[in-house]
């Protein structure tokens, strides 16, 4: 079983910055894709950014140039640096991790979510 612990959310003014962290723990062979999703009230969960094991990153158009995803494989941790935050970035942010459990076995896990609120 894989556990994900998120941290770093909070309240920030427009134009401000936050850094989210997500650490994976448990029993697994390796971590494949790590990513961040978000869900605003009344909306569906959407992809924010993902990063592969080779550190290739993909971003939603709405956050390109403002958010940066990274990972520290030694710490089984992914980070989401969010700059120039806008009110429309307000949402619960969820970490998502795909782990390799063995030959032909993979698992996808979700974090508990962390609230990000951007307002004056």
């Amino acid at each position: 079983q894989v556990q994900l612990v998120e941290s770093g959310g909070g309240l920030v003014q427009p134009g401000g910055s936050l850094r989210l962290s997500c650490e994976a723990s448990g029993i697994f062979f390796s971590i494949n894709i790590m990513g961040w999703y978000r869900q605003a009230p009344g909306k569906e969960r959407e992809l924010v950014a993902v990063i592969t094991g080779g550190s290739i990153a993909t971003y939603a158009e709405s956050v390109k140039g403002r958010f940066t995803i990274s990972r520290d494989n030694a710490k089984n941790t992914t980070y989401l640096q969010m700059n120039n935050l806008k009110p429309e970035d307000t949402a619960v942010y969820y970490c998502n991790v795909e782990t390799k459990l063995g030959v032909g076995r993979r698992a996808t896990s979700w974090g508990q979510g962390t609230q990000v609120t951007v307002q004056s």
Side-chain angles (χ1 to χ4, degrees):
Q1 188 174 0
V2 179
Q3 295 81 39
L4 303 179
V5 177
E6 303 172 10
S7 61
L11 174 64
V12 64
Q13 292 185 343
S17 298
L18 284 173
R19 188 193 195 207
L20 305 183
S21 300
C22 172
E23 181 180 4
S25 63
I27 300 174
F28 49 85
F29 181 73
S30 62
I31 297 176
N32 297 329
I33 296 174
M34 307 183 85
W36 292 92
Y37 292 71
R38 67 186 180 187
Q39 187 167 19
K43 296 187 177 181
E44 294 186 353
R45 190 173 298 188
E46 63 176 2
L47 181 146
V48 176
V50 293
I51 186 167
T52 68
S55 293
I56 297 175
T58 302
Y59 298 92
E61 285 295 327
S62 59
V63 307
K64 279 184 179 178
R66 301 188 297 121
F67 290 11
T68 302
I69 188 172
S70 61
R71 61 190 287 167
D72 184 334
N73 293 327
K75 296 181 179 180
N76 294 329
T77 299
T78 181
Y79 306 96
L80 185 68
Q81 177 66 44
M82 305 184 292
N83 298 329
N84 190 21
L85 282 159
K86 304 176 180 180
E88 51 263 43
D89 294 318
T90 296
V92 177
Y93 283 70
Y94 296 91
C95 176
N96 176 272
V97 170
E98 181 187 88
T99 51
K100 184 176 181 180
L101 304 179
V103 177
R105 295 177 59 222
R106 298 183 179 184
T108 298
S109 304
W110 290 92
Q112 79 281 4
T114 185
Q115 178 69 46
V116 171
T117 302
V118 185
Q119 67 180 34
S120 300

